[in-house]
Amino acid sequence: MVEEDSVRVVRCGGSELNFRRAVFSADSKYIFCVSGDFVKVHSTATEECVHILQGHRNLVTGIQLNPNNHLQLYSCSFDGTIKLWDYIDGILIKTFIVGHKLHALFTLACAEDSVFVIINKEKPDIFQLVSVKLPKSSSQEIEAKELSFVLDYINQSPKCIAFGNEGEYVAAVRDFYLSVYFFKKKTTSRFTLSSSKNKKHAKNNFTCVACHPKEDCIATGHKDGKIRLWRNFDDDKKYTYTCLHWHHDMVMDLAFSVMGTSLLSGGRESVLVEWRDATEKNKEFLPRLGATIEHISVSPAGDLFCTSHSDNKIIIIHRNLEASAVIQGLVKDSNIFTGLMIDPRTKALVLNGKPGHLQFYSLQHDKQLYNLDIIQQEYINDYGLIQIELTKAAFGCYGNWLATVEQRQEKETELEMQMKLWMYNKKTQGFVLNTKVSMPHEDHITALCFCNAEKLENPTLVTASKDGHFKVWILTDDSDIYKKAVGWTCDFVGSYHKYQATNCCFSEDGSLLAVGFEEIVTIWDSETWELKCTFCQRAGNIRHLCFGRLTCSKYLLGATENGILCCWNLLSCALEWSAKLNVRVMEPDPHSENIAAISQSSVGSDLFVFKPSEPRPLYIQKNISREEVQWGVFVPRDVPESFTSEAYQWLNRSQFYFLTKSQSLLTFSTKSPEEKLTPTSKQLLAEESLPTTPFYFILGKHREQQDEKINEALESELVQLPLTENIPAISELLHTPAHVLPSAAFLCSKFVNSLLLSKETKSCEETPEDVDMEEEKESDDSDVENDFTEKTQDTNDTDLGEDIIHQLSKSEEKELRKFRKVDYSWITVL
Amino acid sequence: MAGYKPAAIQTYPVLGEKITQDTLYWNNYKTPVQIKEFGAVSKVDFSPQPPYNYAVTASSRIHIYGRYSQEPIKTFSRFKDTAYCATFRQDGRLLVAGSEDGGVQLFDISGRAPLRQFEGHTKAVHTVDFTADKYHVVSGADDYTVKLWDIPNSKEILTFKEHSDYVRCGCASKLNPDLFVTGSYDHTVKMFDSRTNESVISVEHGQPVESVLLFPSGGLLVSAGGRYVKIWDMLKGGQLLVSLKNHHKTVTCLYLSSSGQRLLSGSLDRKVKVYSTTSYKVVHSFDYAASILSLALAHEDETIVVGMTNGILSVKHRKSEAKKDSLPRRRRPAYRTFIKGKNYMKQRDDILINRPSKKHLELYDRDLKNFRVSKALDRVLEPSCTIKTPEITVSIIKELNRRGVLANALAGRDEKEISRVLNFLIRNLSQPRFAPVLINAAEIIIDIYLPVIGQSPVVDKKFLLLQGLVEKEIDYQRELLETLGMMDMLFATMTRKESTSVLQCTSDGFLENKKMES
């Protein structure tokens, strides 16, 4: 069933959506954004991801619509290629190999066969804008080596380049000057801001540039929050500029509306400002967008704007400044204090998100499910401000309770801390604040854990703090005759001499609590809160602590800062074994005895998977990442895998995800990336032109089943006709817009011919089979029985079908394709 | 996008009594009117009919008071000895009372001389009551007997001799003319049926029974005796439902509020407790000056009358609601202005666009939303806010500090404004819950206004006051730490056998000392 390749480290989703400006399709129906090595196509109406364009081998750095055919999209990448896509079908049309690392891409309507890219040729810091001539050829991969130099010594960011007035000139900014290159005159003018070095605090640096689409006007954004509008810049002497000032911090991006009547700007204030008629008085605001605005783009139709934000979010905004949709990826903006957690209810990955929020991120769909506002205070984004940080969080009682700790420390002595306990409300399907404890401890809370025993009658939470105490909190009945209520109260305060409590951990059955006090591990009885025994290895402070599970529940594992991993036997109260391992991350698998430990060395991080009962690891993977691994977590699989080889058995029940210091989320997988495509995206690939809404998924599936039933009935009597969807050429024909097709009379005979039965089918027989397989995979578990019977029938059918089902012959298919390839763009000109 | 989030106002637990619907209800009475009687007030009974007069039995007299009168409107004083248990009939026209000499007398409210005299008891009659059919009287006496009398021909109908001690309380059913209950010092409560010659149900209270009460439905019986109040389910044959022990001394009287939702009990420990009759938890309690012997509520709980051993009758009237209405009310917009446009029915081709509902923001929040920080601070420093809700002021100061603009908000104030800030600090700096925020603010003020100190005598005086306050507070803290150290020492000597806790205590002490030194 599963071919056992070697286990590889795979990047899994959560890549930046805000790396470059998003691009709208011509009809504003789709929005494209770069996402790691892929380009994502989202619907602007439903926010759903419609296609993932994959093919680049490195980070995608720029996307632009093909100005000659608005159904095509150019993309460039660090891998040195420019690719042309048909985004409606999600098909790669052509690849142009440039050979340099490409940093940005620009297209111009007037320069038909060439595009502009930013490359760095010699030194790492010097970037050039060059124009690349794209040769016309029918082959899939074309070398495009014809580069012509346009501008030198520019900024690598595409925000610092803008083409103006239908490609008459290009403006580039860097540091303190603006250079404008006129294509017709082939001259460069340079304007320097004089005050830049004289004044002490003048932060006149250019940050971004935008050109008016109709007039000769350039808008530049500056570090001090000013926007300058430059005019008459074709003359070195007579140029003028006017200032617009609202932003108090750097202007991050600028964009003109399609007709140039208004200018949009955004920055750290997370307010989108619309300047009407380029005057200071007429401005409109869209405030509280959540995070710093990184990019602004405008749809060619002019009805939509979109802003990309530093919290990995794209907001689609209507022309009247009303946010209409949010495309949210994994937020990577903040430091991850809470670590990785799994919500037991949704199986979503939970970690710090937007400031003051916890994000619930679905790993299966690579999409954020929702944000839980923990701090519930207005977020003021200002440089140097000390914010309230969400430092700890834990789920308890099968996701019924969530405990969070937030703190803010301005000075050494002034610590503000709050612990909040949230209860899951089944009616509203969300967490509701139940108890708020201000200053639960005198000092920082170092660890937080719930007792997750099964027979638990009273939920219990333990907090360990640097003030030398650990506190046990229990849920108590707080109801009176007026209302029913529950609340958390402190039940027990424990300490061990005056050591700082650094870790805490409940055993699987909840009977024992282990608390780490610096170098010493103490074991407490959770019934009476009596100290049972202590372990001490004198090998540095305890960094991680966890109990073994299932058959290994008599073991306690501790990792110390001096690089010793210890395993104690709780029955004999003695050290069972110890190993020298500098453990950074230690995570128990909730579904097995396995424990994963990631060690850090100077070369990189290594993974060890072991059972506490034996010191020999089950599995070792060296060099999983060059960076330091910060957090890891086991995620239970929905469908268990069945690896037979002993080394991979630890991946059967759960999957291990980890987060590195640069906040890339990685996992271990044996599958190739193509196989990882989720079922929904496959379905979307199969059905292109229909709008795909959740509603469609429900009804669509239903209809499919009905179709199958009808088919079954027919099968017994009739020879099955070839399904039109299964023949790629026909589906292509059906889905190509009518206005680019030749006349119906011309096509009719060929089309009818293609439906006739013919003998030679060998060439294409894989395709229909594959489609069948996929459909089976998609259907629900509840339909397993049905599926099984169908499957047996299906196999019979395919046996028959191979002889009977008629496919298009190759020659016919080619002919049909040819019609498609012919350039009918002249029609659009009419 | 997400709207403006209002500033978080830190809430602190309210000290003292919890405010509930019941405390509001039962506290909504005027200050009591005290009426001096001739002796201990053993019984108060309200007439069930308007104008809801009440009869007070004290010593050898029975006084009838009007609802708001301080003087008796009528007095029955023709008793040779102490009178007991003056009780109105359901129609409010007849009154029956027992007496120390064993007689039971029936009065007409308008008359003076007794209408009937029932002779038969040999000892003091402490309890009398009318049955539901209005034509019979039940009486219980210290001769251990319970008798049923016929009013028209003043004859004794039945005698029950089942009790083995004084019968001191009783109550007739309000539904069934044949049923009545008596409680006795022999620790039992018995329910009698006049159709049979013996008790039908007998329950063991456990203490001498001082008071019994039947619920209007007759299904539940409440008995009080000793420190206990017990609830019995009569439909289950006298099964004990709840036993309440909320008083320190003997419970002497019981009463049911007019809605039947609350049960009141008075006791010798000078308290009246109010119970919910669904959960039987105490929801409120009143304090009185002396031991309570009797208790009654008027129709609709308008008046609470309590009689005490020292002969004081305390009468509390409910505060009238009409007072609020008398204030000149501003004319509100008519109802139709609120529904204007709301009741428009959507036509076929219409597209309904809702105006986004505006969230109500406090004034200081509106200022904060627009970054008018000084103005926001001014708003919460107004006397109405600083006195009533200092936590709002402190929360706003904290919010300004979080936004990093507290210094801006505090700067540039004139003498009057700065003294307002200082007044607030002086008032609240020593409160432990506000201290961390306010100390920070005080430091900032001192930093800002240090250069101009000495220019205004008013502000200088305030600063000196603040300094004195801080010094005093430091002294207090030192003393407290010393006390804590002493207590730790005591605890340490007490719990020697547990080594860990000893260490913990001493270590705490050390820490405390260190803190003190630093």
Side-chain angles (χ1 to χ4, degrees):
Chain A
M1 183 80 187
V2 183
E3 73 269 50
E4 299 194 350
D5 295 341
S6 63
V7 172
R8 296 176 304 114
V9 177
V10 186
R11 191 179 289 271
C12 58
S15 43
E16 281 186 357
L17 300 173
N18 58 352
F19 182 58
R20 290 291 187 247
R21 277 182 193 146
V23 173
F24 283 98
S25 66
D27 54 0
S28 303
K29 258 191 181 172
Y30 300 103
I31 184 166
F32 314 103
C33 53
V34 300
S35 165
D37 300 355
F38 312 131
V39 178
K40 281 191 173 173
V41 185
H42 286 269
S43 157
T44 52
T46 63
E47 310 169 12
E48 287 288 330
C49 178
V50 185
H51 288 296
I52 298 175
L53 308 178
Q54 40 189 336
H56 282 295
R57 303 197 175 279
N58 205 335
L59 211 60
V60 180
T61 51
I63 42 173
Q64 289 292 337
L65 282 184
N66 185 356
N68 303 318
N69 182 351
H70 60 76
L71 298 176
Q72 292 176 343
L73 182 80
Y74 281 115
S75 70
C76 77
S77 153
F78 277 155
D79 64 3
T81 57
I82 297 171
K83 287 182 196 275
L84 184 64
W85 307 87
D86 178 346
Y87 62 81
I88 291 190
D89 301 337
I91 300 167
L92 175 64
I93 301 173
K94 268 179 191 171
T95 306
F96 302 98
I97 300 162
V98 181
H100 297 280
K101 219 175 175 186
L102 307 174
H103 289 269
L105 176 79
F106 305 95
T107 55
L108 268 186
C110 53
E112 271 187 26
D113 51 352
S114 59
V115 294
F116 297 88
V117 292
I118 296 178
I119 57 170
N120 59 334
K121 261 189 171 169
E122 296 104 25
K123 288 176 193 166
D125 198 30
I126 294 174
F127 295 91
Q128 291 180 326
L129 178 70
V130 295
S131 120
V132 180
K133 192 155 168 44
L134 302 176
K136 278 197 177 153
S137 161
S138 55
S139 68
Q140 281 276 327
E141 291 200 0
I142 310 153
E143 298 256 327
K145 295 288 182 191
E146 204 177 316
L147 308 181
S148 56
F149 164 80
V150 179
L151 268 175
D152 199 1
Y153 196 62
I154 54 167
N155 203 321
Q156 69 174 95
S157 162
K159 283 195 282 190
C160 297
I161 301 279
F163 290 81
N165 209 352
E166 283 152 6
E168 276 187 15
Y169 56 88
V170 56
V173 293
R174 178 169 173 150
D175 299 339
F176 294 107
Y177 56 81
L178 160 76
S179 25
V180 183
Y181 176 83
F182 296 93
F183 285 100
K184 276 186 187 152
K185 292 192 276 178
K186 308 228 176 209
T187 52
T188 311
S189 317
R190 207 166 247 216
F191 308 95
T192 314
L193 286 177
S194 54
S195 64
S196 56
K197 278 167 195 166
N198 305 344
K199 282 187 196 164
K200 219 177 167 187
H201 294 293
K203 290 191 249 166
N204 262 342
N205 312 38
F206 285 91
T207 52
C208 52
V209 64
C211 291
H212 198 285
K214 304 282 176 210
E215 298 165 23
D216 281 340
C217 175
I218 298 173
T220 57
H222 297 263
K223 216 172 178 179
D224 56 359
K226 280 185 183 144
I227 298 165
R228 285 186 171 79
L229 292 169
W230 302 74
R231 289 173 212 274
N232 295 338
F233 43 80
D234 46 353
D235 192 325
D236 272 358
K237 298 274 151 46
K238 279 197 267 173
Y239 74 91
T240 56
Y241 65 76
T242 50
C243 251
L244 303 174
H245 198 176
W246 180 86
H247 295 276
H248 79 267
D249 211 324
M250 188 160 103
V251 179
M252 294 292 284
D253 202 7
L254 288 170
F256 274 102
S257 64
V258 176
M259 298 310 286
T261 49
S262 63
L263 173 68
L264 299 159
S265 68
R268 191 194 261 279
E269 303 88 355
S270 39
V271 179
L272 181 70
V273 186
E274 186 186 4
W275 308 82
R276 299 246 163 97
D277 310 321
T279 49
E280 190 123 60
K281 275 179 201 160
N282 283 343
K283 48 182 187 285
E284 299 276 326
F285 302 103
L286 180 61
R288 278 181 277 284
L289 291 173
T292 305
I293 296 175
E294 300 256 346
H295 302 280
I296 302 170
S297 45
V298 177
S299 74
D303 55 342
L304 295 177
F305 306 136
C306 88
T307 52
S308 309
H309 295 262
S310 57
D311 61 354
N312 210 6
K313 164 176 76 177
I314 296 173
I315 300 182
I316 297 165
I317 297 161
H318 267 293
R319 186 69 191 77
N320 55 357
L321 292 187
E322 246 175 47
S324 71
V326 181
I327 298 164
Q328 174 85 63
L330 182 67
V331 182
K332 292 182 167 184
D333 188 36
S334 56
N335 295 325
I336 305 295
F337 296 111
T338 58
L340 303 179
M341 287 172 293
I342 296 298
D343 176 19
R345 225 169 259 280
T346 56
K347 302 281 181 289
L349 190 70
V350 181
L351 64 162
N352 278 122
K354 292 196 290 183
H357 290 66
L358 265 186
Q359 59 174 331
F360 287 66
Y361 176 80
S362 163
L363 288 162
Q364 278 79 33
H365 303 101
D366 183 21
K367 144 173 141 174
Q368 200 183 57
L369 297 180
Y370 67 98
N371 265 311
L372 181 63
D373 188 357
I374 301 289
I375 290 177
Q376 298 183 328
Q377 280 189 30
E378 183 77 359
Y379 178 65
I380 307 290
N381 195 352
D382 207 348
Y383 182 74
L385 214 57
I386 297 157
Q387 306 284 359
I388 303 176
E389 300 284 0
L390 175 61
T391 52
K392 292 274 179 266
F395 283 98
C397 310
Y398 311 101
N400 279 332
W401 287 97
L402 167 69
T404 58
V405 176
E406 65 205 47
Q407 66 181 37
R408 175 175 185 272
Q409 188 161 33
E410 197 162 304
K411 293 175 208 157
E412 190 68 29
T413 50
E414 288 173 22
L415 178 71
E416 289 167 33
M417 187 157 56
Q418 269 198 334
M419 182 164 78
K420 285 177 180 165
L421 287 136
W422 306 77
M423 190 165 73
Y424 189 80
N425 189 329
K426 276 187 186 139
K427 221 178 249 172
T428 57
Q429 295 282 306
F431 283 98
V432 180
L433 185 60
N434 177 271
T435 308
K436 199 156 72 170
V437 185
S438 55
M439 291 307 282
H441 282 274
E442 305 277 297
D443 209 338
H444 297 270
I445 286 181
T446 52
L448 190 67
C449 75
F450 273 99
C451 179
N452 278 331
E454 287 190 15
K455 43 115 197 163
L456 202 65
E457 71 283 356
N458 207 356
T460 311
L461 171 75
V462 172
T463 55
S465 161
K466 274 190 185 169
D467 64 0
H469 297 288
F470 72 89
K471 288 190 183 176
V472 180
W473 307 81
I474 53 163
L475 186 67
T476 49
D477 191 25
D478 193 25
S479 49
D480 48 23
I481 60 160
Y482 309 104
K483 61 177 196 301
K484 276 202 169 165
V486 284
W488 290 78
T489 48
C490 186
D491 186 43
F492 178 75
V493 182
S495 65
Y496 189 74
H497 296 261
K498 38 187 178 179
Y499 294 122
Q500 295 184 350
T502 49
N503 299 93
C504 58
C505 178
F506 268 104
S507 66
E508 196 187 12
D509 61 351
S511 63
L512 291 178
L513 169 72
V515 184
F517 286 97
E518 297 184 15
E519 291 191 339
I520 299 157
V521 181
T522 55
I523 309 290
W524 304 73
D525 184 355
S526 67
E527 289 287 320
T528 56
W529 302 117
E530 264 174 31
L531 181 63
K532 286 284 171 194
C533 63
T534 58
F535 298 113
C536 180
Q537 213 53 41
R538 292 283 166 213
N541 290 353
I542 302 289
R543 191 185 276 158
H544 298 287
L545 203 58
C546 78
F547 279 94
R549 280 168 191 279
L550 306 174
T551 58
C552 300
S553 57
K554 60 178 175 179
Y555 299 103
L556 173 69
L557 286 150
T560 69
E561 277 179 356
N562 292 2
I564 306 283
L565 178 64
C566 305
C567 177
W568 292 284
N569 190 332
L570 293 168
L571 298 178
S572 61
C573 288
L575 185 73
E576 189 84 4
W577 53 268
S578 72
K580 187 141 182 63
L581 197 65
N582 185 15
V583 176
R584 284 277 151 190
V585 173
M586 186 160 79
E587 277 293 326
D589 182 356
H591 286 320
S592 69
E593 297 98 340
N594 299 328
I595 288 175
I598 293 177
S599 78
Q600 172 78 22
S601 63
S602 53
V603 209
S605 304
D606 307 324
L607 171 82
F608 298 86
V609 181
F610 59 93
K611 280 187 185 175
S613 53
E614 45 188 324
R616 193 178 56 82
L618 290 171
Y619 179 76
I620 301 174
Q621 174 120 353
K622 293 263 181 194
N623 268 330
I624 51 169
S625 152
R626 279 211 202 109
E627 298 165 285
E628 191 184 317
V629 175
Q630 281 194 318
W631 304 100
V633 72
F634 272 102
V635 182
R637 283 185 199 271
D638 291 337
V639 185
E641 297 275 352
S642 52
F643 294 109
T644 45
S645 127
E646 201 179 324
Y648 302 149
Q649 273 181 5
W650 66 282
L651 281 171
N652 277 353
R653 308 285 300 275
S654 315
Q655 213 172 350
F656 189 69
Y657 285 81
F658 61 97
L659 194 72
T660 63
K661 202 168 185 185
S662 66
Q663 288 170 12
S664 41
L665 186 65
L666 306 168
T667 186
F668 295 95
S669 171
T670 56
K671 289 179 184 170
S672 55
E674 288 78 43
E675 282 177 274
K676 278 186 68 211
L677 256 185
T678 51
T680 48
S681 65
K682 267 187 189 169
Q683 195 163 1
L684 287 169
L685 284 174
E687 310 257 350
E688 299 115 15
S689 51
L690 288 170
T692 46
T693 56
F695 183 63
Y696 164 77
F697 283 125
I698 300 164
L699 276 188
K701 192 173 268 176
H702 182 67
R703 204 188 59 195
E704 230 165 64
Q705 282 173 354
Q706 278 186 341
D707 284 352
E708 275 168 25
K709 272 180 202 155
I710 294 164
N711 283 345
E712 270 171 50
L714 287 173
E715 269 159 24
S716 50
E717 303 154 22
L718 280 172
V719 179
Q720 199 186 15
L721 279 173
L723 295 167
T724 49
E725 297 97 71
N726 295 349
I727 303 164
I730 292 177
S731 68
E732 213 169 288
L733 179 75
L734 290 174
H735 291 150
T736 311
H739 64 277
V740 299
L741 279 177
S743 68
F746 186 68
L747 277 175
C748 182
S749 60
K750 290 202 186 297
F751 181 72
V752 173
N753 268 335
S754 73
L755 292 172
L756 288 174
L757 306 177
S758 86
K759 290 290 178 219
E760 69 279 3
T761 53
K762 293 282 183 278
S763 56
C764 319
E765 66 194 32
E766 283 90 6
T767 8
E769 214 169 14
D770 276 359
V771 171
D772 279 358
M773 291 286 280
E774 281 161 18
E775 279 173 7
E776 279 161 31
K777 274 182 203 161
E778 282 156 25
S779 50
D780 280 343
D781 291 343
S782 55
D783 301 343
V784 165
E785 280 178 305
N786 283 339
D787 267 11
F788 186 68
T789 50
E790 276 173 24
K791 207 190 274 176
T792 49
Q793 282 180 357
D794 274 353
T795 44
N796 293 339
D797 289 341
T798 42
D799 288 342
L800 288 169
E802 271 166 24
D803 302 328
I804 298 163
I805 293 177
H806 172 74
Q807 301 293 341
L808 282 183
S809 70
K810 258 208 168 149
S811 56
E812 283 165 328
E813 213 173 298
K814 228 178 225 167
E815 222 161 330
L816 273 169
R817 276 235 171 111
K818 215 188 277 167
F819 284 123
R820 226 192 125 157
K821 291 255 172 71
V822 177
D823 193 2
Y824 287 102
S825 57
W826 53 272
I827 294 172
T828 56
V829 179
L830 299 173
Chain B
M1 293 319 298
Y4 173 80
K5 291 174 200 159
I9 302 299
Q10 180 77 47
T11 49
Y12 296 97
V14 184
L15 298 175
E17 202 178 11
K18 231 194 204 166
I19 294 172
T20 60
Q21 289 167 338
D22 273 283
T23 54
L24 290 176
Y25 184 83
W26 294 111
N27 280 333
N28 190 25
Y29 284 90
K30 293 178 194 164
T31 42
V33 176
Q34 309 259 358
I35 299 168
K36 181 76 183 145
E37 292 289 334
F38 293 101
V41 180
S42 61
K43 174 79 179 178
V44 179
D45 190 45
F46 269 93
S47 159
Q49 298 299 325
Y52 307 116
N53 295 333
Y54 56 96
V56 176
T57 317
S59 186
S60 59
R61 287 159 195 240
I62 296 166
H63 289 302
I64 311 276
Y65 290 92
R67 257 177 78 188
Y68 297 107
S69 68
Q70 307 234 2
E71 296 291 321
I73 51 173
K74 195 164 181 66
T75 305
F76 299 100
S77 55
R78 296 196 176 176
F79 290 97
K80 293 179 190 101
D81 212 331
T82 316
Y84 293 110
C85 200
T87 308
F88 279 102
R89 200 165 78 166
Q90 287 87 321
D91 58 4
R93 292 169 66 184
L94 292 183
L95 185 82
V96 71
S99 76
E100 184 68 42
D101 58 8
V104 176
Q105 302 186 17
L106 188 73
F107 299 94
D108 186 1
I109 290 298
S110 49
R112 191 166 283 274
L115 285 180
R116 296 278 188 277
Q117 294 211 357
F118 306 110
E119 301 291 343
H121 283 296
T122 54
K123 281 185 178 168
V125 178
H126 275 268
T127 174
V128 283
D129 200 1
F130 288 97
T131 59
D133 61 4
K134 303 185 203 169
Y135 303 125
H136 299 94
V137 168
V138 181
S139 67
D142 284 356
D143 59 3
Y144 311 166
T145 58
V146 176
K147 288 180 193 286
L148 185 69
W149 309 87
D150 186 35
I151 296 174
N153 47 19
S154 64
K155 285 269 177 60
E156 177 187 321
I157 300 172
L158 277 169
T159 305
F160 301 95
K161 292 180 181 165
E162 293 189 25
H163 284 295
S164 54
D165 207 334
Y166 300 158
V167 180
R168 282 289 166 92
C169 54
C171 168
S173 163
K174 291 200 170 54
L175 295 176
N176 191 328
D178 298 317
L179 285 182
F180 53 92
V181 183
T182 55
S184 154
Y185 275 17
D186 64 358
H187 302 188
T188 59
V189 177
K190 288 182 195 288
M191 179 178 258
F192 297 99
D193 190 339
S194 57
R195 291 164 292 195
T196 62
N197 287 331
E198 55 198 351
S199 66
V200 282
I201 294 167
S202 175
V203 295
E204 186 69 28
H205 181 78
Q207 275 83 25
V209 182
E210 297 282 354
S211 181
V212 289
L213 184 73
L214 267 174
F215 268 65
S217 65
L220 292 179
L221 171 75
V222 189
S223 66
R227 292 170 61 194
Y228 292 88
V229 173
K230 293 187 178 180
I231 320 287
W232 312 86
D233 189 345
M234 298 317 275
L235 299 179
K236 273 189 177 174
Q239 194 186 36
L240 179 64
L241 209 61
V242 209
S243 173
L244 306 167
K245 189 184 167 190
N246 294 94
H247 286 283
H248 301 300
K249 288 184 182 170
T250 307
V251 184
T252 52
C253 48
L254 294 169
Y255 211 88
L256 210 56
S257 80
S258 56
S259 62
Q261 301 285 310
R262 299 287 181 266
L263 175 71
L264 290 89
S265 70
S267 150
L268 294 179
D269 66 359
R270 301 185 290 192
K271 279 193 193 327
V272 173
K273 305 243 171 192
V274 184
Y275 308 84
S276 154
T277 51
T278 45
S279 65
Y280 295 107
K281 295 231 168 72
V282 175
V283 294
H284 192 68
S285 87
F286 305 103
D287 283 334
Y288 283 92
S291 299
I292 295 159
L293 286 181
S294 56
L295 164 75
L297 294 183
H299 175 74
E300 297 288 336
D301 301 345
E302 288 294 326
T303 316
I304 302 176
V305 183
V306 167
M308 287 172 276
T309 47
N310 59 358
I312 299 275
L313 188 71
S314 158
V315 184
K316 281 203 281 190
H317 294 288
R318 178 175 289 284
K319 282 178 189 160
S320 54
E321 305 284 321
K323 214 174 186 182
K324 276 177 192 166
D325 290 329
S326 67
L327 283 169
R329 258 175 62 183
R330 209 177 53 179
R331 207 181 124 74
R332 290 222 198 99
Y335 175 68
R336 62 172 183 277
T337 52
F338 291 107
I339 59 157
K340 198 173 183 181
K342 296 256 169 71
N343 50 359
Y344 177 75
M345 292 301 286
K346 196 178 142 185
Q347 301 295 313
R348 205 163 56 91
D349 293 331
D350 289 354
I351 297 168
L352 200 68
I353 298 172
N354 285 320
R355 183 185 291 177
S357 61
K358 261 192 180 170
K359 217 161 81 180
H360 173 73
L361 287 178
E362 297 291 337
L363 288 174
Y364 52 82
D365 264 328
R366 271 183 227 173
D367 289 331
L368 281 179
K369 188 182 169 189
N370 293 316
F371 296 90
R372 295 190 295 257
V373 288
S374 291
K375 194 123 187 250
L377 189 62
D378 286 344
R379 275 205 206 280
V380 292
L381 281 172
E382 265 164 31
S384 59
C385 183
T386 52
I387 291 164
K388 252 190 186 169
T389 53
E391 67 269 12
I392 289 181
T393 314
V394 173
S395 296
I396 295 301
I397 292 176
K398 194 173 167 186
E399 171 74 13
L400 291 174
N401 186 35
R402 186 178 76 87
R403 293 180 173 209
V405 291
L406 183 57
N408 297 5
L410 285 169
R413 287 169 182 268
D414 59 16
E415 182 185 274
K416 199 175 151 198
E417 285 169 329
I418 193 68
S419 56
R420 191 181 268 180
V421 181
L422 287 172
N423 278 340
F424 180 73
L425 289 181
I426 289 163
R427 188 193 287 270
N428 292 298
L429 191 68
S430 54
Q431 291 197 32
R433 53 189 186 171
F434 298 147
V437 180
L438 293 186
I439 287 172
N440 186 26
E443 280 172 357
I444 290 173
I445 289 176
I446 292 168
D447 285 348
I448 294 171
Y449 294 98
L450 198 63
V452 293
I453 216 153
Q455 287 182 8
S456 154
V458 183
V459 175
D460 290 353
K461 216 163 129 193
K462 295 260 154 61
F463 271 118
L464 285 177
L465 211 63
L466 196 65
Q467 190 191 1
L469 195 78
V470 171
E471 277 165 8
K472 217 161 97 210
E473 190 62 27
I474 290 171
D475 282 343
Y476 282 144
Q477 292 290 333
R478 185 173 297 136
E479 273 174 43
L480 279 174
L481 283 175
E482 278 168 17
T483 320
L484 206 66
M486 280 186 250
M487 278 165 69
D488 277 343
M489 193 80 90
L490 287 174
F491 281 126
T493 50
M494 274 165 67
T495 54
R496 178 149 289 171
K497 59 175 191 264
E498 280 181 69
S499 59
T500 50
S501 58
V502 169
L503 277 168
Q504 182 196 324
C505 287
T506 47
S507 72
D508 275 357
F510 278 130
L511 270 180
E512 243 53 306
N513 284 332
K514 259 185 203 163
K515 253 188 221 162
M516 193 190 79
E517 278 158 26
S518 63

